[in-house]
Amino acid sequence: MDQLSPSRPKAEEAVAPKAAPKPDPLPSPTAEAAPKASWRTRLLMFGLPALLIAGGAGWWLTSGGSVSTDNAYVQMDKVSVAAEVGGRITEVAVRDGQQVAAGQLLFRIDGEPYALNVAQATAAIDAAEVEVGNLSASANTSSVDIAAAREDVKFAQVTFDRQAALMERGFTTKAAYDAARHALQQARESVRQAEAAAAEARTKLAAGPSSGVNPQVEAARVQRSQAQVNLGRTTVRAPSAGRVAQSDRLQIGQMMVAGLPAVTLVDTAHPWVEANFKETDLANMRVGQRAEIRFDAYPEVKVRGHVLTIGAGTGSEFSVLPAQNATGNWVKVTQRVPVRIAFDEKPARDMIAGLSADVRVFTK
């Protein structure tokens, strides 16, 4: 019996019931976040280096492709208007900052003295025409004098011939013969004198070869035309459109001197920028290259433009006192070259002459 007892547990083990199957485990939050964390990791590992490589390549490709300077200023055409005749200002028709059109009245000078000059020149024309009439009558008189002198010559010739015949026969005196000869000579001189007077009258009456008018009359007419021009110049008008500046010089009653600038017109419709680039920036710069302009006064404004011209000389070459580089204390200084930048579009804000600007020129 003791020998068979160890076999019982085996039988019991054989008939023991099977254990129930374990339920499936629930998914944990860590397992769901793993794919997301893996995607972000891959993005950081591969995307960030790729972005850095692309940025570096872009910087390498564009480095040296543009030059810029802040030594740039807005420029505009400026016309200094001066009176061409002197006189007292009687009317001022504009004010400072006013926009004017071409031909618009700016100011007026007292025109009474110039109107008197026109009247005086007209009187000079009348006097010249009267003088021409007198010369014409004198020429006619000279023709009559020539005819009378020729008749006197004929009579003196007959008298002389008679005296000469009587002198040959001895029926006259030597005194009578000489008197007849002297009378004949005087008659001939009278003819020559009358012919000279007629020629002088015809010369004075002759018309000019270019104008076809008597020179005295033409000179008087020119004087009247000049007087009329001066009278018209008492009204000063704008030679071009623009904005009025420095009009405080115009005061009613002030004496205006001919040739003295009285007012300035600024052409605000066609601005440009003069950028003074260093000479070391001009290696790749060419006319026509595009440019970008920004203004200190209007930080939000950006204007597209292009290189219009590159200066023919540095700024120091056109200064009042140019540098004397041949002296012993010479110091090399990087020179500046003025470059004109034209606008390709109308700025969003009104431009003012002299505004500071930043210019970038794309040389590639």
Side-chain angles (χ1 to χ4, degrees):
M1 295 297 293
D2 294 336
Q3 295 177 353
L4 296 175
S5 58
S7 61
R8 290 180 182 175
K10 293 182 179 179
E12 292 177 359
E13 291 177 2
V15 297
K18 295 180 179 181
K22 296 181 179 181
D24 294 335
L26 295 175
S28 64
T30 305
E32 291 182 356
K36 294 183 179 180
S38 177
W39 179 81
R40 292 175 182 174
T41 302
R42 291 192 186 95
L43 180 61
L44 292 176
M45 290 177 61
F46 299 103
L48 183 59
L51 182 61
L52 294 176
I53 292 173
W59 177 86
W60 183 81
L61 291 175
T62 58
S63 61
S66 65
V67 291
S68 62
T69 182
D70 58 356
N71 189 349
Y73 305 93
V74 177
Q75 299 291 337
M76 300 177 184
D77 290 328
K78 295 178 281 292
V79 179
S80 295
V81 181
E84 298 181 76
V85 295
R88 182 173 54 86
I89 297 178
T90 58
E91 180 185 356
V92 178
V94 294
R95 64 182 183 278
D96 200 61
Q98 179 180 347
Q99 189 74 24
V100 297
Q104 185 172 339
L105 176 65
L106 299 178
F107 61 95
R108 199 186 305 274
I109 296 175
D110 185 14
E112 187 64 24
Y114 299 98
L116 294 177
N117 291 340
V118 173
Q120 185 177 2
T122 302
I125 293 176
D126 296 338
E129 291 177 347
V130 170
E131 180 65 20
V132 169
N134 293 335
L135 293 174
S136 179
S138 177
N140 296 332
T141 303
S142 298
S143 300
V144 174
D145 293 342
I146 292 173
R150 287 175 179 174
E151 288 296 326
D152 291 342
V153 168
K154 291 179 182 180
F155 177 77
Q157 184 68 45
V158 171
T159 303
F160 175 74
D161 293 341
R162 186 182 300 114
Q163 290 295 326
L166 292 174
M167 186 67 180
E168 290 178 357
R169 297 177 183 178
F171 294 110
T172 186
T173 63
K174 178 66 173 172
Y177 174 79
D178 291 340
R181 186 177 61 181
H182 179 68
L184 177 60
Q185 187 65 26
Q186 281 188 333
R188 288 175 178 173
E189 292 298 329
S190 297
V191 171
R192 283 194 288 269
Q193 185 176 4
E195 289 176 348
E200 182 181 2
R202 286 194 300 269
T203 300
K204 292 181 178 180
L205 283 173
S210 59
S211 62
V213 182
N214 182 269
Q216 296 182 11
V217 177
E218 182 66 17
R221 291 178 178 176
V222 170
Q223 291 179 359
R224 184 176 66 178
S225 298
Q226 182 63 51
Q228 290 174 340
V229 169
N230 291 337
L231 178 60
R233 287 174 175 173
T234 59
T235 300
V236 181
R237 300 184 179 276
S240 61
R243 180 180 292 180
V244 177
Q246 299 177 329
S247 63
D248 52 347
R249 305 175 189 172
L250 301 176
Q251 300 295 332
I252 296 178
Q254 178 182 350
M255 291 298 297
M256 179 58 61
V257 179
L260 182 67
V263 66
T264 302
L265 293 181
V266 182
D267 184 9
T268 57
H270 304 92
W272 76 88
V273 170
E274 184 176 286
N276 299 292
F277 282 94
K278 296 180 181 179
E279 55 184 329
T280 54
D281 294 335
L282 303 180
N284 298 320
M285 188 178 296
R286 301 290 184 272
V287 173
Q289 291 174 340
R290 68 185 184 92
E292 182 181 277
I293 309 166
R294 294 182 179 273
F295 308 94
D296 293 356
Y298 312 126
E300 74 283 358
V301 176
K302 181 175 68 174
V303 179
R304 295 190 303 269
H306 66 276
V307 177
L308 185 62
T309 58
I310 299 176
T314 62
S316 62
E317 284 296 310
F318 299 103
S319 62
V320 178
L321 296 175
Q324 300 298 324
N325 297 330
T327 59
N329 57 351
W330 170 76
V331 177
K332 185 174 182 180
V333 178
T334 303
Q335 299 297 310
R336 295 273 182 170
V337 178
V339 177
R340 176 175 289 199
I341 308 297
F343 289 4
D344 292 339
E345 58 184 348
K346 184 178 180 180
R349 301 287 298 272
D350 292 337
M351 292 290 100
I352 301 174
L355 288 181
S356 300
D358 291 338
V359 175
R360 178 176 295 276
V361 175
F362 299 92
T363 57
K364 285 189 179 181

